[in-house]
Structure formats: structure tokens, C-alpha cells
Amino acid sequence: MVDDDECLMIIQSGVVEASKLICLNSDFEATDRVIACLHSGAMIGDVCFLQSFIPRPASLRVKEEAEMVSIPAKKFLDVLARYPGVFASLGGRVKDMNNILQKSLGRTQETLEFSSLFHGMDPNFVRAVATISERKFVTLGEMVRGEDENTHETSVLRLLEFGLVRVEERGAGCVAQVNVGTWIGERLFFNLQKATHAGSGLLRVGTPVAVLLCIPRSAFQALLNAHPQAAKAIAARSTTDAGREVRDHHLSKLAILQTCSRSLIDSIASSLHRRSFKPGQTIIVQKCDDGGSLFILVSGHAEVVINGIAKKELGPGASFGELGTLGLVRSRAATICAVSYCACMELERPMFMQALENHPSEKQHFEAFAKQHVADAQDHEWPIFTDMPEKLLYFLNLHARRENVQQGTWSNLAGEPLPVNAAVLVTQGEIARARGDKGKAVTHEVYRAGECFGEEVLLGLPSNSCELQSRTVCEVQLITKEIFEKILRDIPDARQEAAEGIKREMAFKVESTLGIARGSPDVLLFSALFRACSLEFVQKARAACEPRLYQPGEVVLERGASEDRMFILLRGKCLQEIDGPVEDRTVKVKPRMVLAESGMLGFLTSYPYTVRAQGLCLFQTLSKECFRGVLVNHPRESHLMSSLRCEEPDLVSNVAHRLHKYDLFSHTSLQFVTMACKGSDEVYFAPEDEIITRGQVCRLGETPMYVLIAGNATVKLEFGDDLAVLKPGATIGEGGSLGIASVRSATVKAWKDGLVRCLRLQGLSLQRACGEFPEDYDALADHFRKRAQANAAFELARKAWLDEVVVPALLKCRVFRGFSSKLAHKIAQPLVKTTYAAGKNICLVGDRAESMILLLEGEAEIVTKQGEVVGRLFSGASIGEVGLLGLFCWRTATIRAVIKTTVVVLEASEVKRALKNSPGGSQAFAKLEEERRSQVSRGVPMTSLPFDDCTAEDVAVRAIALHADRILLAPNQPWTVPPDSAMGGPHYWIVVRGRAALVMGPGEHPVNPIFTFRPGSGGLCPEQLCLQSGARIHALTPLEAFRISRSDLLLADRSVPTRWFKRFEKLERDVWKHLSAKLMSAKAVLDMARRELEMKSQGPLFGIRPPSNDIISRLALVNKLRRSDLVKGHEYRSSTTSTLPGLPPAVLSLEDARVEERPVSSCTRQRLDNKLPRPLSQSGPLRSLPGVAVPHRVQSETILKGRREVDM
């Protein structure tokens, strides 16, 4: 209950900790955790919530010596009421408070339905009343009702929803107070009797904020006329609650009080008090022992949270905490948290117990309710006796001992310890159990309602419970071995069935410790035979399984005996006795291991060795009869199992003679083979199971050897390359089993097409045979060394392939550009080449793409999801770069081999693993990924083209941006299209920022620049043109450009058709036509110059002798003469004339020439026009060439069809 002296506190000095009860899943109980530290100047409490029945949301604890100022709430509010100006300074906070209340108060209809006045009335009428009602927010000191409000026409019925209202009378001051949930003015409103102080006094708001639900009388009267039944109910009222909140109707709805006397309900109602909770505030905390109060939610909504998970929502009228009030539990089973502003009634347990003491006749009712509640809420049966005869279940319920367990103990409520050697069913609460066999590690388990433990006791086995402890107050049922035997004496026919049920439950529990769900067929997947079968087949076989239990020392399988059952060890350990029970001649069998699969298949007439339980062992078994019964309805599985048969029905009994015919053992004696085969058995492998694993440590006497009987196997080297295919009769792992190799040098896997059957030769038997017959051992060692040499040769060939083919191809990829050869080699290490025949799909559109595919050899085509071929890929091309970067995880096209094609697949996980220890490589990858994300957000390069509807939000634009390759060039930096650029199909350059020139031949050649690229329509350059003509791009300013593939453009358009793609194709055609013409003209000029250089000149042109044979200087002279004055009607004459070998008449030098001017006739001009090469275009001044002085102010001019044009 909120104390009257609720106060505000201000810390003057020191440190105060704020703590809160919090329940974590790992805790046995709620713990008090520090959530904040408050220092000097902090104020504790909220002015707007004073006297609002809201408990403090956290506890305060002084961490360091602190000095605090305490301001009582009532006195503080009195001061604020007397000094309105002080309260006005809180206007901002009050406004915020009003906004919070508007959002968090419950619906008006819910508030009315649960009020004393309208409770139980027609919901339609209450809904109509809610529509005419209005919430009014008032502040401290405001008048709710004046003394002159005494006429029916002006009266308003008010319900106080939040805050406190004081009743004041002239000369007497505050004579009473109105609490939340109280109707104000109901007597006057209904004209039942004259008002008293509660009906005629002056009412003022006594808290900073109050909320009133107001119902106008005139509108209410109109509703009564429309609802005659409600009007009759109102007219039948002779009295009201005199303005007080009626609380007994809240209690009358509780199940625990429905049959109680009126006197007890009135007594309890007088003990109820108000509690309010802000949104987000916890009302009760899970696992908290808080005294056991009962709460009734009057208004608002709260949420039930169990172990951090919201389970359901509570509304007005809901109650919680009854079990704590009755003393049935000590801690809360859930956390209740206010979702909106919640008003509650609280009944504290001491008050309830006091009321019960005053009404002793009611105790029997509550005891019966407690028993009934437990029976209804925890109606659980023993899992070990599911589907048992009803008579057995009846006797179990009759004789089982029921106990309530104290929290934190294994004792009943009277403090008596409970037995440990008993089967226990938890019907309510949680019990923690520490268990473990003698000398072994202890494991901890938690059992909840409906679960049982200790069932092994009923079979006469010792309990392995080390310690039991109740995590909550809970109820359990116990059955001891004596009680169980007593029940079975009455119904002896149920003994076998009950024992099977107990073992089945034990098997389920052990399987859960192995990660297998209860009743799951996954337990059969420990056997390779079932890993190749359909789920339906495995499920049916699982239903036919039978658990078996073996005591320590008991024989599971006996040598020479027939066995038609497969065994899967779930718990315990066994020993395989190869040659008697001598310790150094045994092999351990551990959980998950499978025995006697051949017996279930019918391939075995007698078992080759004895298997003995070393401790308590639990097996899951499947008989041959049951297996065949399931197999008969599954033809695929039947064919799969029949493929394992060999010529000899019982191979194990005649294994030595058969192995002696194989290549490995043909050079050894029969006696050696016989001794080596002693204790051998058969094992099976599912498709692609590893028979042996590369790097596995081998020890003579421990490591087995395998002989392939049915099916094929593949030998794989370190990174998955196939070395050889093994056929039946081949031996596997002989080097490690004979002690020649310390580790396995290769991995051998079962083939993909079916099961594999192998004969396993035990390491112990091989060791003894090698010791007895050293000559035979030497023959086997020589065979192994030859095989090892062949493997080493293959390894060398692979290394050469990586160095010469894969690494160079990787370094040409954009994602690995700039990587060192060492790092590229590390990335290439796990790669395995895959070859696809013509017409085979390398990848399919829509497949997961967490890898990059690199074409090493061959040719492939790119196919859209509609089947259209949009491009081709050649050797060196890569697909899936964005998948490798983790930017897009689906294939956008199908890649199909056109001819025989070899590829390698780079998995993203493998590449990241290789880059893990390379900060530079990781940073480069991260930078490239961020660069691509930036491109997508900007929509470049397509948004730089002059298409209005080509925006960054366009899906196709973003897809192209994701695949675009960004290129940055500094001023004067050239970029030449590499010869292998066409391996990924046609590409385009798109300039986004800066300017670049298209040049051909020597950089200072007068034909350059052929074209200047700028952002916009002049920024597109087809790479194929540059590659065909030998042109290159030269940056004039800092340049940002993007390289995109035509296939990416087509894929984007075919996936999400765009309107701008047609305009792009037109722009491409125009650019191609324009640049082709310019490049052809420039190439013609260069070819002419080359040809003229090859000709021997008969004399100098114009008498000018060049000082050197520099072609650049000579071409510069020609164009100098042409550009400057020849086109203006002048002719150059030199005072010196000479002829140099190889100098064409049109190529001169200005270095030592003395130039004279004289008019040129039209004939001369025409002759020169026809003779001199004409440049394609020129913009800007020419650079000074080595050895040639060229004027800076020169314009490029061309005479075309009799008129002069200036190409700027």
C-alpha cells in the first residue's frame, strides 16, 4: 500500500544505487540487480505521480554515505495549491503527463463495463454511453464541481480515472477525498436523494494531474429513452454507493470466492486497496517471493511474460496471484508487466489470512479449491506408462505417493525428506536433478510438469541421482520399487509391457542427450544403411525398433552365435573381444556405434566376435523380420539393399580364402591372411561417406584396414581432387593399418550412386599377423610405397596446375586484382576443377549464389530465365562476383557450357578463411564491397546518361550498378583495353566524372585526341572499338568511369523491363557509328605515314632537310604546314633543301628551316590537299614534340568539300 508519507527525495551528497528485481532464465529465483547509480543533485520521485497509488519502480540502497532531503508528498502538494505560480512552472511536465495518459489509459467502454455503476448491463448500452462520454484532464487546484452545481439540467456524472479529488466545505477545509474508481455526483445525477457533503461540497483536484470521465445528463437521458431495459434498471435503483467505489463486485468474479459467504467477501473487500502502475512497470516478477498478494485488474492492460517470452495479455477483470495468496506456491510463475496505465485492486496475503481466521468455516472451501486446482492444472500421466492397460494406470494412480515439495529442498511441506531411489513424476513446478554414474562427471537436468525421472529404479537398477532440489514449490508423484512390485503382483500380465514402456522412456531420454528429439527417426541415421533411404522408410523402421538393456558383464553378441538384429548403442560402453577377453585383444564400442548390420540384412549366419557390456548399456535394436516387413513396401530401398549382396552369402566365415585372391594379398601366405582376418566384420557407408580421412593419425594395432566388397569408392587428395576410383576387391588404408604411414595421405569416399559394403580388418589382428609373418609384411609395405609414389606424382601435377593456370586466372579477376601471388595461391588451395560437357548447365538462375565461378577453359553462354541467350563467356571469365562479396545471394542467369568447359568454384566461406590472416586482402574485400554498395545507392553509372527515367530507384539501374567495375584515373594517366578483356563478352565504358581523350598511336600524334569523353551522352565508349583499332583512353582530368558488361545490361532489362533501354541502344549505335568513322580516319592517317616511311624519298619537300628520322617530328611538320598557312593560301619555302633516306616528301622538320612566305595558287593548294594526309579531328593546342618547336596557338582545321571547318 502506498504510504501517506510518500515523498520526493533529493540527494545532496553521496551515491545511491537503484536496484530492481529481475528474473533471468538461468536463475533459480528473481535477483535484485543494480540498474543505476544516482549522484548528488538527483531527485527521486515524479511530481506528477504524487499520491497516485503508484509504487516506486525500483529500490534504493545507499552505496556511499549520503545526505538527502525528503519532502512529504501531501505537504508539497498543499504548497503547490497555495502558490499557483510555482505550479505553473511545471506546465511542460504536466503537458507531457497528459500526453502519456491519453495514450496509456484504457478504452472508455472497458472502464465503464468494469465500474460499479454499469457492471453487468447490456454491452450495447454501455457502448453507447462510452460514445457520449468525454475524458477531461484537470490539474492541481482546479474545481471539479462548485457549490452552485445543484440542478439536474447542469449536473454531470463524473468517474475519477486517475489522481485524487478533495472534498472541501466552507469553513471546514478538506473533509474527505475521492479516490480513483469513484463516481462523483451520482445521487444528484439520478435524483435519488439530496446530496450530502459528497454530493454538494466543493471538489478540487488534489494531485498535479487528474483524469475525469464525464457523462452529460441530457445525452444520457436520450440514451435511456433509446434503451428501455437499461432505463428500467436505472429506475429500479433506490440507493447508490454514496459516491464510494464498490469493491465487492470485483471480488465476486473471482473463482476462489464464488461459493464464499457474503460476510467473508465484505471482510476481504474492506482489505482491498488501490495500486496503479505506469506503462512498462512490472506488477509482479517471475520467481520472486514477494509475499503472495492477489491482484485484480480494474482498468488497463497487462502482459504475462514467462522466461522472457510474452505469453498473453490481460484486460480489465483479470486476476492473478491466487496461488500465492492461498500459499500453494512461494514464488511467482510469471512476470506481469503493465502495457498501458493499469489500475489494480491488491489483496495482501496477511489481510486475507486475517479475514479467513475470522471465518473458520470457510477454510474447508479453500483446501478443496487448492486440491482441485492442482488436479486440474497438472493433469499429467506417467510417460513411461503411455498406452498401458487401464487397470495398470488405475493402480498407479491409487498407490502413487503425492507430495508437495518445498522450494530449494527435496522435502515435503512438513520438512520430511523424500526418497531418492524412486521414480518421480513432476505434476507442477520444476525440479533440478544432478546425476552421474560412479566415478563419472555429474550432469545437471531440469524436469518440468509432465516429465519423470528415476524410472530405472522400477527395473531393479540403482538410481543415478546424486542430488535433487525443487526449484519452485511443486507437486510430485513417487513410485518406489516396492510399490511397483505390489501393483504388478495384482496384474502380472502387465509386467512385460510395463518393462518395455520403462525401457522405451529410458531410450528416449538417452537419445535426447545425443541431440535426437523424442521419438525422432534420426536415431537410425547412425547406421549408414538408413542415411541413403527416404524419410518415410526410416520413420516406419523407427516405429519397429525395440530398446534393449544389458547389465555390466552381460553378453550382447556371442561369437559363433547367429544374430538377426542390428544394435545401436545409446548409453554405456562395450568391448569387442577379438581373441578372448584379454584386455590387449579387445576393441571398445562407444555410444552412436552400430553393430551387426549384416545380421539384420541377412548376410551373416554367425557373429565373428563376442561383444560384452562393460557397464549398464542401452541399445536401440531392429530385427531382420521387422526390417524386411518395412522393406517389402519400398522398392527403391529394396533395390538399394540388394545391391550390397555378393557371390558368397556368408563372406565373413570364408573371408581369408577370398582375400587371398585379391591383388594386395596375392603375394602373401594364406596363414598371414587367416590371422589378419581374425575378428573381421562388415561395415557399411552411405553415399559420399568418408571411409578414411586424410590427416587421420594411424597406429599399428589400432587402425583398421578396409576391403571393398560391394559398391565403388573414390580416392580424393587434399583439396578434393579425384585420384582414382576403387572397385570391389580393392584395399583401403593398408599403409596406416600396417604402421607404414603415420597419417592417412588421402581421403576415400563412398560413391554417389549407392551404398558401399566393406570388410573391416581389425588393427589388433593385423599387428599380430605382421609380427608372425615378417616376409608377408614386407610385400604389403612395398605395395603401399608404390601407391604413395603415384599419389605424390599427382600432387606435383596439381601444384603445377595451380601455379600455372588457377593463380594467374585469379589475379586477373577484379575482386583479386592487386593481390600477391602468395595470397592468391592460398585462396586457390582448396579449389577443385569441374568439367562440363557441351549443353550442360554450370549454374541455374535462382540458385543460391554464395560463390564465384571461374572459367579456366572452354566457352559458356549466358541464358535469361526466359531462355534467351544474352552473352558468352570465354576462358578467364568469372561469374558471381557479387555473391562472393556477399552482396546478392541468388544467380540471375543460367550459365550453360557451349563446348567442353572447365571451371573452379570459389566458395565465399573458403575465401574469407584464406583472407582471415591477411589484413590487406580483407581490407581490399571490404573496400570493394562498400564501393559496390555506394554504386547501388547512387545508381551509377546509368544515372549519368541523359535518360530522365533512369533513376537510382530503378531496379534495373541498381542491378547494373551492383555489377559495374569502378575505374579511377589521375590526370595524364592512360588506360588501354587489355587483350583478354573480351573473355566476359562486350563491355562499355561510361564516364561519370571528369574528361578523357580517345587516342591512337603515339600520344603526341597530331590525330589525337580523336574524341573527348564527358559525362552525359558523350560519356559512352564501347570497349570493342578500342580493342579493334588499338585505341586507348587518356585521362585529361581526374576521371571516374565504370566498366559494365553488355550481358549485365541485357539481364537487367529482361528481368525488369525498362523504358530507357531502347534509348540506350540508340545511343550505343550513334556512338559506335561516330567513333568508328573517326577511328578509321585516324587509322588511315597512321597507315599512310607508316607506308611512306617504308618508301625511300628521292628529295626533300620544299627544300627543307629534317635533322633526324624521327617519325613524330616529321608527322608534326606535315600537319604544321597543313594547319597553319597552306589552308590560308600560303606555301612554305626553305633556304635549304635536302633529301633523307626513308623520308617521304610530305614529312619535314622545322628545326633548322628558314621559312619564307609566298602566295599559293589554287592548283598548288589542290595538289597539296591531295598529297598531304588530313587529320581526323583536333581540339586544344598541340604539345611540343621532342626536337620540334610548335607554336602554342594553333587551331585544327580541315578542308572538306571546298569549305573550311574548325573541329573544336
Side-chain angles (χ1 to χ4, degrees):
M1 187 174 187
V2 179
D3 299 333
D4 292 337
D5 61 346
E6 179 187 358
C7 59
L8 294 174
M9 290 183 287
I10 301 174
I11 302 175
Q12 284 190 313
S13 63
V15 179
V16 176
E17 288 182 340
S19 61
K20 189 176 179 66
L21 279 173
I22 297 176
C23 170
L24 299 178
N25 293 347
S26 58
D27 293 340
F28 282 90
E29 58 185 16
T31 54
D32 204 25
R33 299 179 185 269
V34 176
I35 59 174
C37 283
L38 307 178
H39 299 270
S40 176
M43 185 174 72
I44 301 167
D46 192 329
V47 172
C48 291
F49 284 104
L50 291 177
Q51 291 197 331
S52 298
F53 301 98
I54 296 178
R56 296 193 188 279
S59 302
L60 300 177
R61 185 186 300 110
V62 176
K63 184 177 181 182
E64 300 176 3
E65 184 176 348
E67 184 177 350
M68 307 176 70
V69 174
S70 178
I71 307 174
K74 189 173 183 305
K75 293 182 179 180
F76 182 72
L77 293 177
D78 288 341
V79 171
L80 290 181
R82 292 182 183 180
Y83 298 96
V86 177
F87 180 71
S89 64
L90 302 174
R93 175 59 185 151
V94 172
K95 185 177 180 181
D96 293 340
M97 180 63 184
N98 288 342
N99 294 333
I100 293 172
L101 289 174
Q102 282 180 343
K103 296 177 182 178
S104 61
L105 286 173
R107 294 190 301 119
T108 303
Q109 182 179 346
E110 291 179 346
T111 303
L112 293 174
E113 286 177 342
F114 207 68
S115 68
S116 59
L117 186 60
F118 294 101
H119 180 66
M121 285 194 173
D122 181 12
N124 293 327
F125 173 71
V126 178
R127 189 181 302 111
V129 175
T131 58
I132 66 171
S133 302
E134 179 185 4
R135 277 197 175 110
K136 183 177 181 183
F137 293 82
V138 290
T139 55
L140 181 66
E142 283 193 47
M143 190 165 58
V144 176
R145 187 186 67 194
E147 291 179 334
D148 57 345
E149 189 179 333
N150 54 11
T151 64
H152 293 300
E153 288 77 9
T154 59
S155 62
V156 177
L157 183 62
R158 303 175 179 89
L159 174 66
L160 184 60
E161 287 193 86
F162 179 84
L164 187 70
V165 173
R166 302 196 301 180
V167 181
E168 299 177 356
E169 291 188 353
R170 190 181 300 277
C174 180
V175 297
Q177 68 180 22
V178 179
N179 294 322
V180 173
T182 303
W183 287 100
I184 300 174
E186 60 177 336
R187 292 179 177 180
L188 187 63
F189 189 81
F190 291 111
N191 196 25
L192 296 176
Q193 61 184 55
K194 293 292 183 181
T196 60
H197 65 81
S200 60
L202 182 67
L203 274 68
R204 291 185 184 276
V205 178
T207 52
V209 177
V211 181
L212 296 167
L213 186 62
C214 302
I215 304 175
R217 189 176 188 281
S218 57
F220 185 74
Q221 187 62 48
L223 287 180
L224 291 178
N225 295 335
H227 296 80
Q229 295 297 329
K232 290 180 181 180
I234 294 294
R237 292 178 179 268
S238 58
T239 60
T240 70
D241 59 356
R244 299 189 307 274
E245 179 186 20
V246 174
R247 301 179 178 183
D248 56 359
H249 80 275
H250 298 317
L251 293 172
S252 62
K253 296 184 66 177
L254 296 180
I256 60 174
L257 298 177
Q258 284 184 355
T259 60
C260 293
S261 64
R262 186 67 191 180
S263 173
L264 177 62
I265 292 177
D266 291 341
S267 177
I268 293 175
S270 63
S271 302
L272 289 175
H273 55 264
R274 274 273 173 184
R275 277 292 180 100
S276 299
F277 298 89
K278 295 183 286 186
Q281 189 173 357
T282 53
I283 303 174
I284 61 175
V285 179
Q286 184 181 0
K287 300 180 183 177
C288 174
D289 186 358
D290 55 7
S293 292
L294 179 146
F295 292 87
I296 304 172
L297 190 58
V298 177
S299 64
H301 290 81
E303 194 172 50
V304 180
V305 180
I306 300 176
N307 296 328
I309 302 173
K311 295 296 185 179
K312 64 177 180 178
E313 189 171 289
L314 305 177
S319 62
F320 46 90
E322 297 96 332
L323 296 180
T325 306
L326 294 175
L328 296 177
V329 296
R330 291 192 177 185
S331 61
R332 302 295 188 181
T335 295
I336 308 296
C337 182
V339 176
S340 62
Y341 171 77
C342 290
C344 298
M345 290 289 186
E346 181 183 9
L347 174 62
E348 295 180 343
R349 174 171 165 77
M351 305 300 294
F352 171 77
M353 296 305 296
Q354 182 62 44
L356 200 59
E357 286 295 326
N358 297 332
H359 299 78
S361 60
E362 304 286 347
K363 289 184 178 181
Q364 187 176 0
H365 160 74
F366 288 103
E367 291 175 359
F369 175 83
K371 293 181 180 179
Q372 183 62 38
H373 177 83
V374 172
D376 293 341
Q378 306 296 338
D379 187 15
H380 299 291
E381 293 183 354
W382 289 83
I384 56 178
F385 300 123
T386 305
D387 300 327
M388 291 289 121
E390 291 185 2
K391 188 175 182 180
L392 176 63
L393 297 177
Y394 169 77
F395 277 106
L396 286 171
N397 291 326
L398 181 66
H399 294 287
R401 177 179 172 183
R402 289 174 172 80
E403 293 285 356
N404 289 321
V405 186
Q406 293 184 14
Q407 183 178 1
T409 68
W410 186 237
S411 304
N412 58 18
L413 298 181
E416 300 171 351
L418 298 176
V420 176
N421 292 322
V424 180
L425 171 66
V426 183
T427 57
Q428 181 185 355
E430 296 180 356
I431 293 178
R433 179 195 189 198
R435 70 175 184 86
D437 296 329
K438 184 177 180 181
K440 298 181 181 178
V442 175
T443 58
H444 297 272
E445 301 167 344
V446 176
Y447 293 88
R448 297 175 177 83
E451 298 177 344
C452 69
F453 59 88
E455 58 277 352
E456 65 273 7
V457 173
L458 304 183
L459 296 178
L461 303 174
S463 173
N464 55 4
S465 298
C466 300
E467 183 182 355
L468 296 173
Q469 187 182 71
S470 174
R471 299 179 70 172
T472 62
V473 176
C474 58
E475 184 184 0
V476 298
Q477 295 182 21
L478 301 101
I479 300 178
T480 62
K481 174 63 174 174
E482 293 74 19
I483 294 176
F484 188 60
E485 287 297 327
K486 179 182 178 180
I487 295 172
L488 292 180
R489 280 195 295 268
D490 294 334
I491 43 175
D493 295 342
R495 180 179 293 275
Q496 182 63 31
E497 196 171 355
E500 292 299 325
I502 295 171
K503 287 187 283 187
R504 183 173 57 249
E505 181 64 22
M506 292 175 65
F508 285 152
K509 288 183 179 179
V510 176
E511 288 171 10
S512 67
T513 64
L514 300 177
I516 300 172
R518 184 182 181 88
S520 170
D522 291 352
V523 66
L524 288 178
L525 300 185
F526 291 139
S527 168
L529 295 175
F530 293 93
R531 291 200 291 273
C533 299
S534 66
L535 178 61
E536 180 187 4
F537 177 82
V538 179
Q539 287 175 335
K540 291 182 178 180
R542 175 67 176 89
C545 288
E546 175 189 344
R548 285 196 174 186
L549 196 65
Y550 293 88
Q551 299 279 5
E554 191 174 353
V555 173
V556 180
L557 294 167
E558 188 172 1
R559 181 178 180 180
S562 61
E563 185 57 69
D564 62 352
R565 184 178 296 270
M566 178 187 71
F567 292 76
I568 301 175
L569 182 58
L570 302 178
R571 172 187 172 183
K573 289 184 179 180
C574 298
L575 291 178
Q576 291 181 358
E577 299 174 357
I578 304 300
D579 191 12
V582 183
E583 185 176 351
D584 61 352
R585 298 181 185 177
T586 57
V587 178
K588 292 183 178 179
V589 180
K590 300 179 180 179
R592 295 186 174 89
M593 293 182 69
V594 186
L595 303 172
E597 291 166 293
S598 294
M600 181 188 69
L601 291 172
F603 298 163
L604 193 67
T605 57
S606 61
Y607 208 68
Y609 48 73
T610 297
V611 177
R612 193 183 305 274
Q614 194 176 14
L616 182 65
C617 293
L618 182 62
F619 290 88
Q620 197 68 265
T621 70
L622 181 61
S623 67
K624 180 174 68 174
E625 182 182 359
C626 294
F627 179 72
R628 288 184 173 178
V630 177
L631 200 62
V632 70
N633 296 320
H634 293 80
R636 175 185 172 274
E637 282 72 17
S638 181
H639 174 74
L640 198 64
M641 301 304 167
S642 63
S643 66
L644 296 173
R645 293 187 178 275
C646 60
E647 298 175 359
E648 298 182 32
D650 190 357
L651 177 66
V652 174
S653 61
N654 196 30
V655 64
H657 290 83
R658 177 164 182 173
L659 287 185
H660 195 248
K661 300 176 183 178
Y662 289 170
D663 179 59
L664 177 65
F665 296 102
S666 60
H667 303 293
T668 62
S669 63
L670 180 60
Q671 292 81 0
F672 173 86
V673 179
T674 302
M675 183 173 288
C677 293
K678 200 166 189 177
S680 60
D681 62 350
E682 294 182 13
V683 290
Y684 298 85
F685 298 93
E688 296 197 78
D689 275 359
E690 290 186 354
I691 302 174
I692 62 173
T693 305
R694 179 186 173 94
Q696 189 176 29
V697 177
C698 302
R699 295 183 180 88
L700 180 63
E702 297 180 10
T703 305
M705 181 172 70
Y706 301 90
V707 180
L708 201 58
I709 299 174
N712 295 341
T714 305
V715 182
K716 293 182 176 290
L717 295 182
E718 182 178 2
F719 299 106
D721 285 311
D722 293 348
L723 177 63
V725 176
L726 304 179
K727 302 290 184 179
T731 54
I732 301 170
E734 63 273 17
S737 60
L738 296 174
I740 303 171
S742 58
V743 295
R744 301 288 197 193
S745 60
T747 296
V748 178
K749 286 188 173 182
W751 65 340
K752 298 179 181 179
D753 300 331
L755 295 167
V756 168
R757 179 185 176 189
C758 289
L759 183 69
R760 179 171 57 188
L761 305 184
Q762 303 295 340
L764 281 172
S765 300
L766 288 168
Q767 183 183 25
R768 294 180 62 195
C770 291
E772 292 288 336
F773 303 94
E775 298 85 1
D776 296 327
Y777 170 77
D778 292 338
L780 292 176
D782 184 61
H783 181 276
F784 172 76
R785 279 190 287 270
K786 290 179 181 178
R787 180 180 292 184
Q789 290 173 1
N791 292 349
F794 187 87
E795 290 278 13
L796 289 175
R798 172 183 167 79
K799 185 178 184 303
W801 174 71
L802 289 176
D803 294 339
E804 299 170 8
V805 178
V806 181
V807 171
L810 283 178
L811 293 176
K812 291 179 182 178
C813 295
R814 171 67 181 93
V815 288
F816 302 117
R817 199 173 298 159
F819 280 31
S820 66
S821 297
K822 182 179 179 182
L823 182 56
H825 197 278
K826 187 176 180 181
I827 295 171
Q829 282 296 320
L831 299 182
V832 179
K833 63 181 177 181
T834 306
T835 302
Y836 294 89
K840 294 294 183 180
N841 291 328
I842 299 173
C843 66
L844 293 174
V845 61
D847 285 351
R848 291 283 300 180
E850 295 176 347
S851 60
M852 186 180 82
I853 302 173
L854 181 62
L855 268 71
L856 297 180
E857 185 181 356
E859 181 181 344
E861 57 188 8
I862 305 171
V863 186
T864 67
K865 62 183 179 181
Q866 294 86 5
E868 178 186 358
V869 177
V870 295
R872 291 210 169 190
L873 303 171
F874 304 91
S875 298
S878 59
I879 313 109
E881 180 181 297
V882 294
L884 189 66
L885 293 172
L887 298 173
F888 194 73
C889 59
W890 305 102
R891 299 288 184 204
T892 56
T894 293
I895 308 300
R896 186 164 56 219
V898 176
I899 60 176
K900 183 180 179 181
T901 303
T902 301
V903 304
V904 290
V905 179
L906 287 85
E907 297 292 343
S909 57
E910 294 291 340
V911 173
K912 289 179 180 177
R913 188 179 296 111
L915 297 178
K916 188 175 183 181
N917 297 322
S918 174
S922 300
Q923 290 174 7
F925 245 54
K927 182 179 178 182
L928 184 58
E929 180 183 347
E930 182 59 33
E931 190 177 88
R932 292 295 175 90
R933 293 185 188 277
S934 175
Q935 291 170 199
V936 173
S937 63
R938 293 165 57 197
V940 290
M942 302 308 295
T943 53
S944 66
L945 297 176
F947 306 141
D948 294 338
D949 52 354
C950 198
T951 64
E953 288 74 28
D954 190 309
V955 176
V957 170
R958 295 169 70 88
I960 295 168
L962 188 63
H963 292 83
D965 190 3
R966 187 181 185 218
I967 298 175
L968 298 177
L969 298 180
N972 300 322
Q973 183 178 354
W975 191 86
T976 303
V977 180
D980 59 355
S981 64
M983 60 190 179
H987 283 71
Y988 302 98
W989 261 59
I990 299 179
V991 176
V992 173
R993 180 171 57 88
R995 292 184 298 113
L998 183 66
V999 298
M1000 181 189 294
E1004 296 83 359
H1005 194 286
V1007 299
N1008 294 325
I1010 297 169
F1011 186 79
T1012 301
F1013 295 105
R1014 297 179 176 86
S1017 59
L1020 180 66
C1021 175
E1023 261 190 16
Q1024 194 172 359
L1025 270 178
C1026 297
L1027 191 63
Q1028 292 172 355
S1029 61
R1032 62 189 182 279
I1033 295 173
H1034 195 281
L1036 301 176
T1037 65
L1039 185 74
E1040 180 185 17
F1042 289 87
R1043 184 172 182 261
I1044 61 173
S1045 167
R1046 177 170 178 79
S1047 61
D1048 288 336
L1049 279 166
L1050 291 171
L1051 281 173
D1053 178 67
R1054 300 305 187 265
S1055 300
V1056 185
T1058 61
R1059 290 180 294 178
W1060 52 262
F1061 187 73
K1062 294 295 182 183
R1063 294 198 295 278
F1064 175 83
E1065 288 184 316
K1066 183 179 183 304
L1067 176 63
E1068 178 198 8
R1069 289 193 297 270
D1070 294 343
V1071 169
W1072 186 282
K1073 181 178 179 182
H1074 182 64
L1075 290 183
S1076 294
K1078 285 182 172 290
L1079 288 169
M1080 288 176 64
S1081 298
K1083 189 173 186 299
V1085 172
L1086 288 172
D1087 291 343
M1088 183 186 299
R1090 272 190 215 97
R1091 286 194 300 271
E1092 290 177 352
L1093 278 174
E1094 294 171 357
M1095 298 170 57
K1096 293 185 177 180
S1097 175
Q1098 300 299 323
L1101 181 63
F1102 305 139
I1104 303 177
R1105 179 181 295 278
S1108 65
N1109 289 329
D1110 183 19
I1111 185 174
I1112 302 302
S1113 301
R1114 299 174 187 184
L1115 288 174
L1117 173 61
V1118 172
N1119 288 279
K1120 166 67 177 176
L1121 296 175
R1122 181 176 181 80
R1123 281 196 305 272
S1124 57
D1125 291 305
L1126 291 180
V1127 295
K1128 295 180 181 179
H1130 293 79
E1131 181 182 357
Y1132 283 107
R1133 288 283 187 179
S1134 175
S1135 59
T1136 61
T1137 61
S1138 62
T1139 302
L1140 295 178
L1143 177 67
V1147 183
L1148 308 174
S1149 173
L1150 295 176
E1151 218 172 34
D1152 299 318
R1154 193 165 60 246
V1155 180
E1156 298 178 356
E1157 292 186 12
R1158 69 186 180 95
V1160 179
S1161 66
S1162 60
C1163 285
T1164 303
R1165 183 189 306 180
Q1166 184 65 35
R1167 176 175 57 80
L1168 292 174
D1169 284 341
N1170 295 334
K1171 185 175 184 180
L1172 295 177
R1174 182 178 301 167
L1176 183 65
S1177 64
Q1178 181 74 31
S1179 61
L1182 291 173
R1183 300 184 181 279
S1184 296
L1185 305 177
V1188 181
V1190 182
H1192 288 287
R1193 296 182 180 179
V1194 179
Q1195 290 183 339
S1196 173
E1197 301 179 354
T1198 306
I1199 300 175
L1200 298 174
K1201 297 182 181 178
R1203 61 188 179 89
R1204 185 172 62 191
E1205 294 183 359
V1206 180
D1207 196 2
M1208 299 300 293

